[in-house]
C-alpha cells in the first residue's frame, strides 16, 4: 500500500479508517494513515496520509506527505509532497513543499509553498480530454519568499 | 526453581498415564519442582504467591487454554517466568507459542527460550490474546483524545497477540512485542456496482482505549465470556516472560 521505505519501520503500525467508521477528536499518529471513512476534529501524522475517494475529513490536516482523493474541509499542511487527484475536493488552504494538482481536482483556498525557490509542479493535464474539468475556482499562489 | 500448577481436570484417570510420562521427562531434564493443584477452593493467585515467597521463579501450568486464563493474572502480578505443558483441548495458547502437546513440551521447557511479551489489561484483569466483541454497538475512546465509532454493524477486536480463529483461513494474529494494542473494526457493508456484501476493516494502533455502550457489553477476553457495562483497556509493554518453542506463530 505504501512505498517500501514508507512501510512500518521500527514497528510503527499503519492506521486504516475504513468506510463506515467515524473518528472524532484529535487524531495523532506516528505511522502512515489511510482514511476511507470520516474524520472530524484534527488529523496529524508524522508519515504519509492517503485520503480515499469516499473519505470525508472535516479537520485541519498535518502530514509528511499526502495523497488526497476525497473531501477535506480544513487546512492541509504537508512537509514534503501533496498530491490532489482528480476526485479530490478541498475547502481550505494548502501548504506543501511540492504540490501536484490533477485535472478535476477542486480547490477552494490559498496555496502556499514555503522555503526556497523549489520547482512548482502543478499538473493541469490535457483539458481536451477532460470536458468536466472544474480546476481552480479560486487558487492564489503566494510568491516564494525572496531573500 | 520450578512450580507446576495442575488444573483440576488433568487429575482424572484418563490423564494419569500422560501425567506420569511428563513427570518422568521433567526429572530426566532436571527441572522438577513443587506441584500445586487448582480446585474450587484454591485459586492460582494464592498458590503462586506462596511459592514465590519460597523462591519459585518459573510457574508452569499443566492443562489447556482455560488453565492459562486462570493463572495468567497471578503470573503477571508475581512477575514469574510462565510456561505451559499442554494437556487436553483446546490448547491454542500453546500452539501459538510453539509448545507441543504432552511430554514433548518438557523439552521446550528445558531448552528455555524466553520471550518477553506485552500483556493487555482490561478492568483490572490481564489478557494475552485479544478482546472480541461480536455485533458491537460501541464507541472506542482512544488515548483520551479521540472517539471511534462505526456507523455500520460489525465486530470489534482489541488485539494483543491475536488468536487462531479455526473458521478462518488466515489466522488473526497480532504483534505482542510492539508495545501497542490494535483496535480492529470489521464493519459489514456493500461494495461495487452490484453492491456485493463486503467487510470494511479499520485498524488503529492504541495504547489505551475505553469501550463504552448504552447496553451491557458482551465481550470475550482470551475467548472467555466477559460482560461489563464498560471496558477500560490498556497495554503493559514487555510484561510477561514466557517459555516458547521454535515453531511459535507469534
Amino acid at each position: 500500500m505504501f512505498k517500501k521505505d514508507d512501510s512500518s519501520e521500527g514497528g510503527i503500525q499503519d492506521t486504516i479508517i475504513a468506510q463506515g467508521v467515524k473518528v472524532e477528536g484529535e487524531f495523532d499518529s506516528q505511522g502512515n494513515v489511510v482514511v476511507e471513512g470520516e474524520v472530524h476534529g484534527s488529523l496529524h501524522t508524522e508519515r504519509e496520509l492517503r485520503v480515499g475517494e469516499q473519505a470525508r475529513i472535516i479537520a485541519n490536516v498535518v502530514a509528511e506527505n499526502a495523497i488526497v482523493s476525497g473531501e477535506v474541509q480544513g487546512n492541509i499542511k504537508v512537509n514534503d509532497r501533496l498530491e490532489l487527484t482528480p476526485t479530490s475536493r478541498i475547502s481550505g488552504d494548502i501548504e506543501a513543499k511540492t504540490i501536484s494538482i490533477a485535472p478535476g481536482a477542486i480547490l477552494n483556498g490559498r496555496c502556499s509553498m514555503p522555503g526556497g525557490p523549489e520547482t512548482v509542479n502543478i499538473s493541469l493535464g490535457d483539458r481536451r480530454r477532460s470536458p468536466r474539468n472544474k480546476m481552480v475556482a479560486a487558487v492564489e499562489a503566494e510568491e516564494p519568499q525572496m531573500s | 526453581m520450578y512450580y507446576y500448577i495442575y488444573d483440576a481436570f488433568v487429575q482424572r484417570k484418563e490423564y494419569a498415564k500422560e501425567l506420569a510420562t511428563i513427570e518422568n521427562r521433567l526429572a530426566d531434564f532436571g527441572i522438577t519442582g513443587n506441584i500445586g493443584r487448582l480446585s474450587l477452593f484454591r485459586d492460582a493467585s494464592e498458590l503462586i504467591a506462596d511459592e514465590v515467597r519460597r523462591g519459585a521463579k518459573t510457574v508452569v501450568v499443566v492443562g489447556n487454554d482455560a488453565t492459562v486464563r486462570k493463572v495468567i493474572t497471578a503470573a503477571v502480578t508475581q512477575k514469574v517466568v510462565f510456561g505451559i505443558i499442554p494437556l487436553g483441548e483446546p490448547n491454542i495458547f500453546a500452539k501459538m507459542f510453539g509448545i507441543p502437546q504432552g511430554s514433548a513440551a518438557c523439552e521446550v521447557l528445558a531448552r528455555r527460550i524466553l520471550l518477553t511479551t506485552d500483556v493487555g489489561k482490561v478492568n483490572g484483569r490481564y489478557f494475552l490474546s485479544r478482546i472480541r466483541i461480536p455485533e458491537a454497538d460501541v464507541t472506542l475512546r482512544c488515548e483520551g483524545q479521540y472517539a471511534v465509532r462505526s456507523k455500520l454493524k460489525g465486530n470489534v477486536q482489541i488485539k494483543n497477540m491475536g488468536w487462531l480463529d479455526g473458521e478462518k483461513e488466515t489466522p488473526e494474529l497480532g504483534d505482542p512485542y510492539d508495545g501497542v494494542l490494535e483496535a480492529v473494526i470489521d464493519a459489514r457493508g456493500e461494495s461495487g456496482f452490484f453492491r456485493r456484501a463486503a467487510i470494511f476493516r479499520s485498524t488503529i494502533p492504541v495504547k489505551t482505549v475505553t469501550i463504552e455502550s448504552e447496553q451491557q457489553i458482551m465481550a470475550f477476553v482470551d475467548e472467555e465470556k466477559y460482560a461489563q457495562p464498560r471496558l477500560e483497556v490498556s497495554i503493559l509493554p514487555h510484561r510477561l516472560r514466557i517459555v516458547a518453542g521454535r515453531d511459535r506463530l507469534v
Side-chain angles (χ1 to χ4, degrees):
Chain A
M1 183 181 292
F2 295 98
K3 288 190 296 234
K4 194 177 178 186
D5 57 356
D6 281 346
S7 62
S8 357
E9 290 171 11
I12 300 171
Q13 291 191 21
D14 294 346
T15 297
I16 302 171
I17 298 165
Q19 258 179 273
V21 168
K22 184 175 172 183
V23 174
E24 277 185 292
E26 296 171 17
F27 184 83
D28 208 325
S29 172
Q30 292 180 311
N32 300 315
V33 178
V34 175
V35 180
E36 300 281 356
E38 283 186 44
V39 178
H40 295 236
S42 69
L43 194 163
H44 173 267
T45 175
E46 293 176 15
R47 304 192 54 203
E48 183 163 315
L49 169 68
R50 292 207 183 170
V51 180
E53 278 186 39
Q54 310 297 325
R56 192 160 174 255
I57 297 180
I58 302 175
N60 288 331
V61 173
V62 176
E64 182 64 24
N65 296 292
I67 301 172
V68 179
S69 300
E71 181 183 347
V72 178
Q73 292 181 31
N75 301 328
I76 303 176
K77 184 176 175 183
V78 168
N79 293 336
D80 193 6
R81 180 184 168 88
L82 170 63
E83 183 181 332
L84 304 184
T85 70
T87 54
S88 61
R89 303 168 305 284
I90 315 296
S91 298
D93 301 340
I94 61 173
E95 179 186 322
K97 201 191 287 185
T98 305
I99 297 176
S100 171
I101 305 176
I106 299 174
L107 171 59
N108 286 300
R110 291 158 64 84
C111 177
S112 64
M113 303 181 71
E118 273 86 12
T119 304
V120 175
N121 180 16
I122 299 178
S123 164
L124 299 179
D126 185 353
R127 293 182 191 232
R128 287 171 299 178
R129 283 184 285 145
S130 180
R132 290 185 292 125
N133 186 355
K134 299 180 207 172
M135 178 57 197
V136 188
V139 175
E140 297 169 27
E142 283 184 10
E143 292 300 318
Q145 292 290 322
M146 304 294 282
S147 55
Chain B
M1 186 177 143
Y2 287 75
Y3 179 57
Y4 295 87
I5 296 187
Y6 290 9
D7 204 338
F9 77 89
V10 307
Q11 294 158 74
R12 295 201 295 252
K13 235 188 238 180
E14 65 215 77
Y15 294 104
K17 193 177 172 189
E18 183 70 30
L19 212 47
T21 310
I22 289 169
E23 288 170 358
N24 287 336
R25 286 298 279 155
L26 293 174
D28 291 342
F29 286 118
I31 52 173
T32 53
N34 291 343
I35 295 172
R37 291 176 169 81
L38 294 178
S39 69
L40 278 175
F41 306 106
R42 289 213 80 185
D43 74 2
S45 51
E46 285 175 26
L47 292 173
I48 293 176
D50 288 344
E51 285 302 312
V52 165
R53 272 195 288 274
R54 289 189 201 119
K57 300 276 188 245
T58 303
V59 170
V60 181
V61 297
V62 182
N64 58 13
D65 288 340
T67 323
V68 173
R69 285 194 289 268
K70 288 174 196 172
V71 177
I72 194 67
T73 296
V76 172
T77 309
Q78 294 292 337
K79 298 182 182 171
V80 292
V81 172
F82 189 69
I84 306 171
I85 295 179
L87 208 53
E89 291 289 344
N91 254 304
I92 308 289
F93 284 116
K95 199 170 179 180
M96 293 175 73
F97 284 116
I99 303 169
Q101 274 273 347
S103 54
C106 301
E107 194 177 327
V108 168
L109 208 53
R111 206 177 288 132
R112 209 172 167 86
I113 298 173
L114 290 186
L115 300 175
T116 306
T117 71
D118 301 334
V119 174
K121 188 174 178 183
V122 56
N123 293 5
R125 67 179 268 186
Y126 300 113
F127 67 95
L128 276 181
S129 64
R130 66 177 179 179
I131 299 171
R132 179 171 59 92
I133 307 172
E135 297 308 309
D137 182 15
V138 296
T139 300
L140 309 180
R141 299 200 184 274
C142 306
E143 323 290 15
Q145 289 185 292
Y146 58 91
V148 182
R149 189 169 174 81
S150 175
K151 293 180 189 175
L152 304 171
K153 288 187 182 169
N155 304 326
V156 170
Q157 287 183 69
I158 308 294
K159 273 204 286 189
N160 179 33
M161 191 166 81
W163 196 247
L164 290 176
D165 250 333
E167 294 165 5
K168 292 186 182 175
E169 284 177 13
T170 314
E172 289 273 0
L173 297 178
D175 184 347
Y177 312 107
D178 60 359
V180 159
L181 295 167
E182 212 179 359
V184 177
I185 302 172
D186 285 326
R188 288 194 301 277
E190 290 172 345
S191 175
F193 183 79
F194 297 103
R195 303 183 70 78
R196 288 211 172 94
I199 302 284
F200 301 116
R201 171 163 281 203
S202 299
T203 306
I204 305 172
V206 290
K207 290 186 179 171
T208 63
V209 56
T210 301
I211 305 176
E212 295 173 348
S213 176
E214 287 173 14
Q215 293 125 17
Q216 184 89 322
I217 302 170
M218 298 303 294
F220 291 82
V221 178
D222 279 342
E223 303 307 306
E224 184 181 32
K225 208 169 183 180
Y226 185 68
Q228 293 286 311
R230 182 184 162 99
L231 302 177
E232 306 262 359
V233 187
S234 58
I235 186 80
L236 303 174
H238 318 300
R239 182 57 68 99
L240 180 69
R241 284 175 300 158
I242 186 160
V243 181
R246 288 197 190 117
D247 297 328
R248 58 190 177 272
L249 301 175
V250 289

